[in-house]
Amino acid sequence: RNRVCVSGAVSEVSLIDIVKWDPDWNSGYTSIDYQHVQLLTICNELMNNLLQGDYSYSFLPELEKLILHVKEHFKFEEEILCQHAYSDIESHKKHHDDLITKAQNLVKKTEEGNMLPIDVTHFVLNDVIIKHLLKEDTKFFGLFKSNS
């Protein structure tokens, strides 16, 4: 894994950070921030696999790893937001549900051999990072940053 064979020689392929964590993205709640960093790491792993041409059935474990992390993270985040009486929790849960559905659709497309690299790229960069992490999640940051 993470190796390229050229004329019998083996060289390591280093992972690149497609998206790097920016401290401005911290919510003010340490555990949520840690999980967001982990999410970005998994997204970068997925994107690196795509860059290496791995978007076949063997791509499934990486995609399933992302889904598992997202489900656990969403559950935790929703519990914290409920504990802090986040006023827009129902809308936030809906965003979470929609993302999980999109991820499960990607798994289905991969299993059927119909997944295109652009599908995963759009999901990771647009849906997860831009629309959710950088737009939707920032709406609750005031709950925690004002207390620090």
Side-chain angles (χ1 to χ4, degrees):
R1 181 167 185 175
N2 294 334
R3 301 180 91 131
V4 174
C5 294
V6 180
S7 302
V10 177
S11 62
E12 293 294 317
V13 174
S14 56
L15 297 176
I16 59 172
D17 288 335
I18 308 295
V19 179
K20 292 186 181 197
W21 182 257
D22 184 328
D24 287 342
W25 301 345
N26 286 331
S27 69
Y29 198 95
T30 305
S31 297
I32 289 175
D33 296 337
Y34 177 73
Q35 289 180 4
H36 283 164
V37 171
Q38 287 180 311
L39 175 63
L40 222 58
T41 299
I42 295 168
C43 287
N44 279 319
E45 289 171 1
L46 275 173
M47 297 303 295
N48 274 277
N49 284 342
L50 288 178
L51 289 174
Q52 294 176 33
D54 180 8
Y55 46 89
S56 62
Y57 193 79
S58 63
F59 186 72
L60 270 175
E62 297 294 330
L63 196 51
E64 289 169 341
K65 178 181 176 182
L66 173 66
I67 293 171
L68 178 64
H69 177 78
V70 164
K71 284 181 176 180
E72 290 172 357
H73 167 66
F74 287 171
K75 182 176 186 241
F76 176 77
E77 189 176 270
E78 289 169 8
E79 288 171 2
I80 299 303
L81 294 178
C82 282
Q83 290 171 9
H84 288 82
Y86 180 52
S87 61
D88 203 22
I89 186 65
E90 292 308 316
S91 174
H92 202 76
K93 284 181 180 181
K94 171 88 170 84
H95 284 277
H96 286 170
D97 292 343
D98 291 347
L99 278 175
I100 289 170
T101 298
K102 285 182 179 183
Q104 290 168 333
N105 288 337
L106 277 177
V107 167
K108 184 178 179 188
K109 286 177 90 170
T110 303
E111 289 171 338
E112 295 169 347
N114 297 323
M115 191 276 294
L116 299 172
I118 192 67
D119 297 331
V120 175
T121 303
H122 185 268
F123 175 74
V124 168
L125 296 178
N126 188 58
D127 296 332
V128 174
I129 297 173
I130 295 171
K131 285 185 177 176
H132 192 76
L133 181 67
L134 300 180
K135 183 179 175 192
E136 196 58 36
D137 277 359
T138 58
K139 292 177 182 177
F140 68 73
F141 286 10
L143 287 174
F144 309 118
K145 287 191 173 184
S146 62
N147 294 334
S148 50

